[in-house]
């Protein structure tokens, strides 16, 4: 492409970058929602946009089960009951062996930001557990999207689904819809397969609770920090 053509595209590219950056800055892990359901046509638009996600060999391994109405309430009750009993299952994908170093620091910072927003004092294990269980109430969201991949695709399929989750959340943000990606719900893969009628070949990657956000709730009042580019970049010149 000629330098003239590149110069002609600058304003357009600049606007696109600004729009994308705005979406990233607006997106947050929403943990409080209004009960109003998201119209089906909006949900379908979000899915249509996210369907452009890149994947290994264009395999597009993601399948999405989305609850609404009584379906959400039924699953909410089943998952909260199971989580309250402590009867967690083996995950379809191994969780992190441990958080250490800077990863542990970031995890702790994020957790304490949440607890501080809710007025939960450090060391209050009862309140910690109470808040953790809100994961299985989907934080009051009217919808839960459960993202699954094909068993035969293993980790590659899960990576593709991770890309899909990010794009789903950005598309939802563009529509003013709040989201929170939840690894917690993947702790009950068999329950989810049973409750949602999923095949035994489907592996649970994560869930996304979503709906119209409640901006006045304290859990939506803070923003997590991000590492700088220099913290994560290694340039190889030769």
């Amino acid at each position: 492409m000629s330098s003239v053509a590149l110069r002609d595209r600058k304003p357009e590219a600049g606007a696109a970058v600004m729009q994308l950056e705005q979406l990233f800055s607006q997106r947050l892990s929403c943990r409080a929602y209004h009960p109003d359901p998201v119209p089906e046509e909006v949900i379908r638009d979000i899915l249509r946009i996210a369907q452009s996600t890149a994947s290994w060999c264009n395999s597009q391994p993601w399948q999405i089960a989305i609850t609404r109405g009584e379906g959400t309430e039924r699953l909410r009750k089943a998952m909260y009951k199971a989580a309250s009993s402590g009867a967690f299952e083996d995950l379809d994908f191994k969780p992190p062996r441990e958080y250490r170093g800077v990863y542990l620091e970031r995890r702790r910072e994020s957790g304490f930001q949440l607890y501080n927003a809710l007025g939960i004092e450090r060391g209050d294990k009862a309140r910690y557990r109470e808040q953790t269980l809100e994961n299985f109430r989907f934080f009051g969201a009217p919808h839960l999207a459960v993202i699954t991949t094909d068993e035969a695709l293993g980790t590659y399929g899960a990576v593709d689904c991770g890309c899909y989750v990010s794009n789903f959340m950005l598309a939802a943000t563009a529509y003013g819809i709040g989201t929170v990606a939840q690894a917690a719900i993947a702790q009950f893969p068999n329950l989810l397969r049973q409750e949602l009628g999923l095949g035994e070949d489907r592996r649970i990657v994560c869930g996304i609770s979503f709906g119209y956000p409640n901006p006045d709730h304290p859990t939506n009042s803070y923003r997590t920090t991000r590492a700088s580019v220099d913290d994560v970049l290694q340039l190889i010149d030769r």
Side-chain angles (χ1 to χ4, degrees), residues 48-59:
R48 177 182 57 80
I49 294 168
Q51 195 61 29
S52 295
T53 298
S55 59
W56 294 99
C57 304
N58 196 34
S59 57

PDB file of all heavy atoms in Angstrom, residues 48-59:
ATOM      1  N   ARG A  48     -23.713 -12.594  17.095  1.00  0.00           N
ATOM      2  CA  ARG A  48     -23.307 -12.446  15.695  1.00  0.00           C
ATOM      3  C   ARG A  48     -21.954 -11.747  15.591  1.00  0.00           C
ATOM      4  O   ARG A  48     -21.090 -12.164  14.808  1.00  0.00           O
ATOM      5  CB  ARG A  48     -24.376 -11.645  14.940  1.00  0.00           C
ATOM      6  CG  ARG A  48     -24.022 -11.353  13.477  1.00  0.00           C
ATOM      7  CD  ARG A  48     -25.109 -10.525  12.818  1.00  0.00           C
ATOM      8  NE  ARG A  48     -25.352  -9.286  13.528  1.00  0.00           N
ATOM      9  CZ  ARG A  48     -24.600  -8.198  13.428  1.00  0.00           C
ATOM     10  NH1 ARG A  48     -23.517  -8.196  12.658  1.00  0.00           N
ATOM     11  NH2 ARG A  48     -24.908  -7.099  14.091  1.00  0.00           N
ATOM     12  N   ILE A  49     -21.769 -10.705  16.394  1.00  0.00           N
ATOM     13  CA  ILE A  49     -20.490  -9.985  16.376  1.00  0.00           C
ATOM     14  C   ILE A  49     -19.367 -10.876  16.904  1.00  0.00           C
ATOM     15  O   ILE A  49     -18.289 -10.967  16.306  1.00  0.00           O
ATOM     16  CB  ILE A  49     -20.611  -8.689  17.209  1.00  0.00           C
ATOM     17  CG1 ILE A  49     -21.591  -7.725  16.545  1.00  0.00           C
ATOM     18  CG2 ILE A  49     -19.243  -8.029  17.371  1.00  0.00           C
ATOM     19  CD1 ILE A  49     -22.001  -6.561  17.428  1.00  0.00           C
ATOM     20  N   ALA A  50     -19.615 -11.550  18.024  1.00  0.00           N
ATOM     21  CA  ALA A  50     -18.582 -12.397  18.628  1.00  0.00           C
ATOM     22  C   ALA A  50     -18.235 -13.580  17.749  1.00  0.00           C
ATOM     23  O   ALA A  50     -17.135 -14.146  17.859  1.00  0.00           O
ATOM     24  CB  ALA A  50     -19.041 -12.887  19.998  1.00  0.00           C
ATOM     25  N   GLN A  51     -19.148 -13.957  16.843  1.00  0.00           N
ATOM     26  CA  GLN A  51     -18.911 -15.112  15.991  1.00  0.00           C
ATOM     27  C   GLN A  51     -17.736 -14.894  15.038  1.00  0.00           C
ATOM     28  O   GLN A  51     -17.196 -15.847  14.472  1.00  0.00           O
ATOM     29  CB  GLN A  51     -20.177 -15.451  15.199  1.00  0.00           C
ATOM     30  CG  GLN A  51     -20.183 -16.816  14.548  1.00  0.00           C
ATOM     31  CD  GLN A  51     -20.075 -17.962  15.561  1.00  0.00           C
ATOM     32  OE1 GLN A  51     -20.505 -17.842  16.702  1.00  0.00           O
ATOM     33  NE2 GLN A  51     -19.493 -19.074  15.137  1.00  0.00           N
ATOM     34  N   SER A  52     -17.290 -13.656  14.885  1.00  0.00           N
ATOM     35  CA  SER A  52     -16.137 -13.358  14.029  1.00  0.00           C
ATOM     36  C   SER A  52     -14.806 -13.653  14.719  1.00  0.00           C
ATOM     37  O   SER A  52     -13.735 -13.425  14.133  1.00  0.00           O
ATOM     38  CB  SER A  52     -16.166 -11.887  13.598  1.00  0.00           C
ATOM     39  OG  SER A  52     -17.292 -11.617  12.784  1.00  0.00           O
ATOM     40  N   THR A  53     -14.853 -14.160  15.926  1.00  0.00           N
ATOM     41  CA  THR A  53     -13.635 -14.484  16.673  1.00  0.00           C
ATOM     42  C   THR A  53     -12.730 -15.444  15.892  1.00  0.00           C
ATOM     43  O   THR A  53     -13.211 -16.414  15.294  1.00  0.00           O
ATOM     44  CB  THR A  53     -14.005 -15.127  18.029  1.00  0.00           C
ATOM     45  OG1 THR A  53     -14.756 -14.192  18.802  1.00  0.00           O
ATOM     46  CG2 THR A  53     -12.763 -15.545  18.805  1.00  0.00           C
ATOM     47  N   ALA A  54     -11.437 -15.167  15.914  1.00  0.00           N
ATOM     48  CA  ALA A  54     -10.471 -16.068  15.273  1.00  0.00           C
ATOM     49  C   ALA A  54     -10.346 -17.363  16.072  1.00  0.00           C
ATOM     50  O   ALA A  54     -10.520 -17.368  17.294  1.00  0.00           O
ATOM     51  CB  ALA A  54      -9.108 -15.383  15.177  1.00  0.00           C
ATOM     52  N   SER A  55     -10.047 -18.460  15.384  1.00  0.00           N
ATOM     53  CA  SER A  55      -9.868 -19.757  16.055  1.00  0.00           C
ATOM     54  C   SER A  55      -8.895 -20.613  15.266  1.00  0.00           C
ATOM     55  O   SER A  55      -8.676 -20.401  14.074  1.00  0.00           O
ATOM     56  CB  SER A  55     -11.214 -20.483  16.203  1.00  0.00           C
ATOM     57  OG  SER A  55     -11.809 -20.697  14.923  1.00  0.00           O
ATOM     58  N   TRP A  56      -8.305 -21.598  15.957  1.00  0.00           N
ATOM     59  CA  TRP A  56      -7.367 -22.511  15.317  1.00  0.00           C
ATOM     60  C   TRP A  56      -8.035 -23.187  14.135  1.00  0.00           C
ATOM     61  O   TRP A  56      -9.101 -23.820  14.277  1.00  0.00           O
ATOM     62  CB  TRP A  56      -6.900 -23.587  16.310  1.00  0.00           C
ATOM     63  CG  TRP A  56      -6.076 -23.074  17.445  1.00  0.00           C
ATOM     64  CD1 TRP A  56      -6.511 -22.802  18.705  1.00  0.00           C
ATOM     65  CD2 TRP A  56      -4.674 -22.774  17.434  1.00  0.00           C
ATOM     66  NE1 TRP A  56      -5.485 -22.354  19.489  1.00  0.00           N
ATOM     67  CE2 TRP A  56      -4.326 -22.312  18.732  1.00  0.00           C
ATOM     68  CE3 TRP A  56      -3.686 -22.843  16.461  1.00  0.00           C
ATOM     69  CZ2 TRP A  56      -3.056 -21.934  19.071  1.00  0.00           C
ATOM     70  CZ3 TRP A  56      -2.395 -22.457  16.802  1.00  0.00           C
ATOM     71  CH2 TRP A  56      -2.088 -22.018  18.099  1.00  0.00           C
ATOM     72  N   CYS A  57      -7.444 -23.072  12.950  1.00  0.00           N
ATOM     73  CA  CYS A  57      -7.945 -23.729  11.730  1.00  0.00           C
ATOM     74  C   CYS A  57      -9.414 -23.387  11.451  1.00  0.00           C
ATOM     75  O   CYS A  57     -10.124 -24.155  10.808  1.00  0.00           O
ATOM     76  CB  CYS A  57      -7.789 -25.249  11.811  1.00  0.00           C
ATOM     77  SG  CYS A  57      -6.096 -25.785  12.119  1.00  0.00           S
ATOM     78  N   ASN A  58      -9.859 -22.247  11.986  1.00  0.00           N
ATOM     79  CA  ASN A  58     -11.252 -21.808  11.841  1.00  0.00           C
ATOM     80  C   ASN A  58     -12.238 -22.845  12.379  1.00  0.00           C
ATOM     81  O   ASN A  58     -13.347 -23.008  11.871  1.00  0.00           O
ATOM     82  CB  ASN A  58     -11.587 -21.495  10.379  1.00  0.00           C
ATOM     83  CG  ASN A  58     -12.866 -20.672  10.235  1.00  0.00           C
ATOM     84  OD1 ASN A  58     -13.173 -19.835  11.087  1.00  0.00           O
ATOM     85  ND2 ASN A  58     -13.616 -20.914   9.183  1.00  0.00           N
ATOM     86  N   SER A  59     -11.825 -23.565  13.437  1.00  0.00           N
ATOM     87  CA  SER A  59     -12.669 -24.624  13.986  1.00  0.00           C
ATOM     88  C   SER A  59     -13.900 -24.094  14.720  1.00  0.00           C
ATOM     89  O   SER A  59     -14.909 -24.793  14.842  1.00  0.00           O
ATOM     90  CB  SER A  59     -11.846 -25.502  14.938  1.00  0.00           C
ATOM     91  OG  SER A  59     -11.275 -24.703  15.968  1.00  0.00           O
TER      92      SER A  59
END
